[in-house]
Amino acid sequence: MDSVKRSAVTPSKSRLARTFAKVLHIQAVTGVAPEDGVEKRKSHEKTKKDLLKKSTRIPSFEDEDEELQDRAVREAFLAKLFASLSAIKAAYAQLQFAQSPYDADGIQSADQIVVSELKNLSELKQCYLKKQLNEMSPETTVLLSEIQEQKSLVKTYEITSKKLDSQLKLKDSEVTFLKEKLADTNKDNRSLEKKLNSSGQLAMPENTRFSDLKPTHFIVYLRQAVKSIRSFVRLLITEMESADWDLDAAASSIEPNISFWQPNHKCFAFESFVCREMFDGFNHPNFSTRTSAEQGGHHQHRLFFDRFMELKSARPADYLAWKPKSLFATFCRKKYLRLIHPKLEASLFGNLDHRNLVNSGDLPETSFFTAFSEMAKRIWLLHCLALSFDPEVSIFQVCKGNRFSEVYMESLSDEAFLSSDGTLETDPRVAFVVVPGFRIGATIVQCQVYLR
């Protein structure tokens, strides 16, 4: 029975011994326990992966460096391209500038530069097409190209500046020529007018008949009247300046809320004031204080023509001394007292002697009153001449703010036709009337206006 049990146990022991032997054999071969072997195998695989990652990172840095190098080369190529284009532009500007005045050396030099730069552009094109853009030092090439481009730009600006200076000199010479031409034309006009006046074609000769009246006669005497008004206004402004008047304030009180285009244009405000006062009632019967015997028809027109002929060649002072109670003398006294305010007279002369003499029926013998009487004579002659026509000459004015019309108006401020940006102003408006206009039958004599 014992023998049976031993035989049953022996096989299992032998299997266990074989198992231990296998384990010992594995330890002897690997030198690690089974669990440690697994961990070391994982560590080995991780190290292998890290090495693979490192081996992939190195080519990545190399690619980035190569891309940056390519970009720098392209930038250098573009810099050379723009530098060459700027050089061509500068050379073309020089070529244009050398055309006028003609400069053979300048044209040849510019032509050579253009040809050279075109060849350079052709070479750059071939390099680009063949992808031969290698640059040993692209950064240096970029800097040199930018310097060349800036030099070309400076050269272009210098040539443009010279061209503008040349054009300015040309315009100045044209202005000088036109001024001289204008002065010669004005001189010729004055000479022609003098000849016409002396020949009697414009001025009314002494033997002019009532039936010979024409609108041109009225226009000539209107010009003389306006000229005498402006002469008196210049004298008045001079006297006011000597008396320390604020001319700007005075002009603003005459024509308020007006911005004058030029400082010296304020004289137009004074002319407007004088014309308003002197022409006031021009079409009214009381302007000449006509009597009932003077009213009506052909006799009335002939009567005023005779008055015109009587006064036109006389000096105002002589005529006033000869006929101190004439209608002209009454007109002078009335208009002086209305035009020259007592405060103005006192500030100009320090007293009211002029006014006192005029009120007493006498007339002052001063240069100021002489200038006034000369102006009054011209306006009185114009009035008599206007009443000599059949139908009579009528006066007209335009309102402030009216649109400018070349038919009825003559502008004294040409600046109003230009806007602030230099373009033509299409709708200038009337600021105030300086000299009234007149109708002589179908003939219109324009009024003179100041535009805003």
Side-chain angles (χ1 to χ4, degrees):
M1 193 147 172
D2 292 335
S3 61
V4 172
K5 289 180 180 180
R6 275 194 301 268
S7 62
V9 173
T10 302
S12 62
K13 287 183 179 181
S14 61
R15 284 196 301 272
L16 183 60
R18 285 195 299 272
T19 300
F20 277 108
K22 288 180 180 180
V23 171
L24 291 175
H25 177 71
I26 290 171
Q27 290 177 345
V29 172
T30 61
V32 293
E35 292 181 0
D36 291 339
V38 172
E39 290 180 359
K40 283 209 170 186
R41 197 179 305 116
K42 289 181 179 180
S43 176
H44 177 71
E45 290 177 357
K46 185 176 180 181
T47 303
K48 185 177 180 181
K49 288 181 179 179
D50 290 340
L51 291 174
L52 288 173
K53 286 183 180 179
K54 289 181 180 179
S55 65
T56 56
R57 284 177 187 169
I58 293 174
S60 176
F61 284 127
E62 291 177 353
D63 291 342
E64 289 179 2
D65 291 342
E66 184 177 353
E67 183 179 352
L68 291 174
Q69 181 69 16
D70 291 341
R71 181 176 179 181
V73 170
R74 287 194 299 270
E75 289 179 354
F77 174 79
L78 292 176
K80 290 193 293 184
L81 178 63
F82 284 115
S84 184
L85 291 174
S86 298
I88 292 177
K89 183 178 179 181
Y92 183 70
Q94 180 182 348
L95 187 64
Q96 284 185 318
F97 181 72
Q99 295 290 334
S100 179
Y102 186 79
D103 181 6
D105 294 336
I107 292 175
Q108 184 177 2
S109 175
D111 183 67
Q112 290 177 352
I113 294 175
V114 171
V115 172
S116 175
E117 292 301 331
L118 287 176
K119 289 181 179 179
N120 188 29
L121 283 176
S122 178
E123 292 174 0
L124 290 174
K125 177 183 177 182
Q126 294 300 321
C127 291
Y128 178 79
L129 294 176
K130 295 178 181 180
K131 297 184 179 181
Q132 297 175 353
L133 305 181
N134 297 327
E135 289 285 349
M136 298 300 296
S137 179
E139 293 82 4
T140 303
T141 302
V142 169
L143 290 175
L144 293 176
S145 299
E146 289 180 351
I147 292 173
Q148 181 183 353
E149 182 179 2
Q150 293 301 320
K151 286 182 177 180
S152 299
L153 289 175
V154 170
K155 185 178 180 181
T156 303
Y157 293 145
E158 289 177 350
I159 294 172
T160 303
S161 177
K162 291 179 181 178
K163 187 175 181 180
L164 292 176
D165 288 340
S166 177
Q167 291 177 353
L168 180 61
K169 291 179 181 178
L170 179 62
K171 293 296 182 183
D172 288 340
S173 63
E174 289 178 359
V175 169
T176 303
F177 171 75
L178 291 175
K179 284 182 178 180
E180 293 175 354
K181 188 176 180 181
L182 177 61
D184 292 340
T185 303
N186 290 334
K187 184 178 179 180
D188 293 340
N189 287 339
R190 287 192 297 269
S191 176
L192 181 60
E193 185 177 355
K194 185 177 180 180
K195 290 180 181 179
L196 290 172
N197 287 334
S198 62
S199 64
Q201 296 183 43
L202 283 181
M204 191 175 296
E206 293 296 331
N207 60 351
T208 300
R209 294 176 296 180
F210 174 67
S211 58
D212 294 334
L213 279 180
K214 298 178 181 178
T216 53
H217 294 138
F218 181 86
I219 294 172
V220 169
Y221 276 90
L222 173 61
R223 290 175 181 171
Q224 293 179 1
V226 172
K227 185 177 180 180
S228 67
I229 289 172
R230 290 188 171 138
S231 178
F232 176 75
V233 166
R234 285 195 296 270
L235 175 62
L236 179 62
I237 290 176
T238 301
E239 295 289 346
M240 292 176 69
E241 286 178 335
S242 300
D244 295 329
W245 272 72
D246 186 345
L247 297 182
D248 292 333
S252 297
S253 66
I254 296 171
E255 298 293 345
N257 304 320
I258 298 296
S259 297
F260 294 97
W261 294 101
Q262 300 291 340
N264 60 345
H265 284 184
K266 58 179 175 285
C267 67
F268 293 129
F270 292 94
E271 291 178 14
S272 171
F273 170 71
V274 172
C275 285
R276 280 201 304 266
E277 296 299 328
M278 298 302 292
F279 283 104
D280 183 46
F282 188 84
N283 282 346
H284 197 276
N286 291 335
F287 186 82
S288 59
T289 61
R290 287 182 282 182
T291 63
S292 58
E294 295 172 346
Q295 304 294 329
H298 180 80
H299 175 72
Q300 171 191 326
H301 300 305
R302 182 59 182 262
L303 178 63
F304 280 100
F305 178 76
D306 292 341
R307 287 178 179 175
F308 170 83
M309 294 299 293
E310 181 183 75
L311 178 61
K312 81 180 189 67
S313 299
R315 293 177 62 249
D318 295 340
Y319 189 89
L320 292 171
W322 176 41
K323 292 186 175 183
K325 295 184 179 181
S326 64
L327 292 178
F328 173 58
T330 302
F331 174 77
C332 282
R333 294 187 183 95
K334 176 183 176 182
K335 291 299 182 180
Y336 180 85
L337 295 175
R338 182 167 178 172
L339 181 64
I340 306 301
H341 193 275
K343 292 183 178 179
L344 175 60
E345 182 177 326
S347 67
L348 296 182
F349 309 114
N351 53 55
L352 299 177
D353 291 348
H354 285 68
R355 180 171 294 273
N356 294 333
L357 286 172
V358 170
N359 281 325
S360 66
D362 295 327
L363 297 174
E365 296 180 359
T366 62
S367 59
F368 184 81
F369 191 82
T370 300
F372 170 80
S373 62
E374 181 65 33
M375 174 185 67
K377 171 195 168 182
R378 298 295 180 184
I379 296 175
W380 178 258
L381 285 174
L382 200 65
H383 168 68
C384 293
L385 194 58
L387 296 179
S388 301
F389 283 86
D390 186 15
E392 297 175 359
V393 177
S394 61
I395 191 171
F396 73 89
Q397 298 201 39
V398 295
C399 298
K400 180 179 180 179
N402 281 6
R403 183 178 298 173
F404 177 76
S405 169
E406 292 184 352
V407 177
Y408 296 98
M409 307 176 202
E410 177 186 354
S411 173
L412 297 176
S413 51
D414 294 337
E415 295 87 349
F417 293 100
L418 291 176
S419 59
S420 57
D421 58 357
T423 59
L424 289 177
E425 177 60 52
T426 58
D427 192 28
R429 299 284 175 162
V430 175
F432 58 89
V433 177
V434 180
V435 180
F438 297 88
R439 290 187 181 91
I440 315 169
T443 304
I444 299 294
V445 181
Q446 299 164 308
C447 61
Q448 297 182 3
V449 297
Y450 193 84
L451 301 178
R452 57 180 171 84

